[in-house]
Amino acid sequence: MGRNNDGKGDVIALFDVDGTLTYPRLGVSSEMLQFLQELRKVVTVGVVGGSDLVKISEQLGKSVVTDYDYVFSENGLVAYENGKLIGNQSLKAHLGDEKLKEFINFTLHYIADLDIPIKRGTFIEFRMGMINVSPIGRNCSQEERVEFERYDKVHNVRKAMVDILREKFKDLNLTFSIGGQISFDVFPEGWDKTFCLQFVEQKFSEIHFFGDKTYQGGNDYEIFSSEKTIGHTVTSPEDTLKQCTEIFLS
């Protein structure tokens, strides 16, 4: 194994956030924070989340961009290395307002006609590099979030919606990724979590990725199954700790 200038080997460990470092939408434990800093002494550590930097900071702490070697929010469309911004890409510039408006209007009409037990607010969240769509609305409580996830497993609300949007807007070459408990992400092809690999693939001989939604259709699938990474499926933050200890610290 080669050595980088900082004394660490040329190995990087990339981590999904929700379900991997934290429980969905909840804050990180002090045990996990401490573990990740210990891990940084041995390998380079990066975080790659679908959420924007504000939400990742809410979960991992306000100093997140300086706490890790790399932080990739919105799948790497906003990229930080050692606390410095190294990449920034925008959905608005890529698609243009006219196509975006058509997609958003259709989606809101669909949700308006959707018969599900409850609806709250913020059904569409427009981010720098993606649109997040939530049939129940992101303003739901934690209890309502868990209830909807259960309901969705039986009724496939998100899957049915994705199938319709994929067909309706096939000319836009969009990818639809169901992740978390209440929503799905929409972004241009190739703007999944593999987008972040362009910043690290030339610098490291081994790229490990840890995520919980690694099944086909999950928002970790593309980076997990990429030939550029060594993928690891985890079931909880505790499982992440266990697997990382076995791989890097034993």
Side-chain angles (χ1 to χ4, degrees), residues 74 77-78 88-92 126-130 191:
E74 303 190 45
L77 297 170
V78 181
N88 203 349
Q89 177 62 278
S90 135
L91 181 64
K92 182 182 169 187
F126 185 79
R127 300 176 183 169
M128 179 80 77
M130 69 173 74
W191 286 25

Side-chain angles (χ1 to χ4, degrees), residues 69-83:
D69 303 293
Y70 290 91
V71 175
F72 301 115
S73 60
E74 303 190 45
N75 293 347
L77 297 170
V78 181
Y80 284 85
E81 179 183 21
N82 298 322

Side-chain angles (χ1 to χ4, degrees), residues 53-107:
L53 194 58
V54 171
K55 285 195 172 58
I56 290 176
S57 299
E58 285 170 3
Q59 290 178 267
L60 298 183
K62 287 189 166 51
S63 57
V64 64
V65 296
T66 52
D67 285 345
Y68 306 100
D69 303 293
Y70 290 91
V71 175
F72 301 115
S73 60
E74 303 190 45
N75 293 347
L77 297 170
V78 181
Y80 284 85
E81 179 183 21
N82 298 322
K84 293 187 177 66
L85 185 68
I86 56 168
N88 203 349
Q89 177 62 278
S90 135
L91 181 64
K92 182 182 169 187
H94 182 77
L95 283 182
D97 273 325
E98 204 53 46
K99 288 175 179 173
L100 276 174
K101 186 172 72 174
E102 187 187 346
F103 179 88
I104 290 167
N105 285 350
F106 182 88
T107 304

Side-chain angles (χ1 to χ4, degrees), residues 166-185:
R166 185 178 280 127
E167 178 57 31
K168 168 81 177 167
F169 295 99
K170 58 188 174 193
D171 59 315
L172 296 186
N173 296 320
L174 297 171
T175 295
F176 296 83
S177 180
I178 297 173
Q181 297 169 295
I182 58 164
S183 64
F184 58 89
D185 295 329

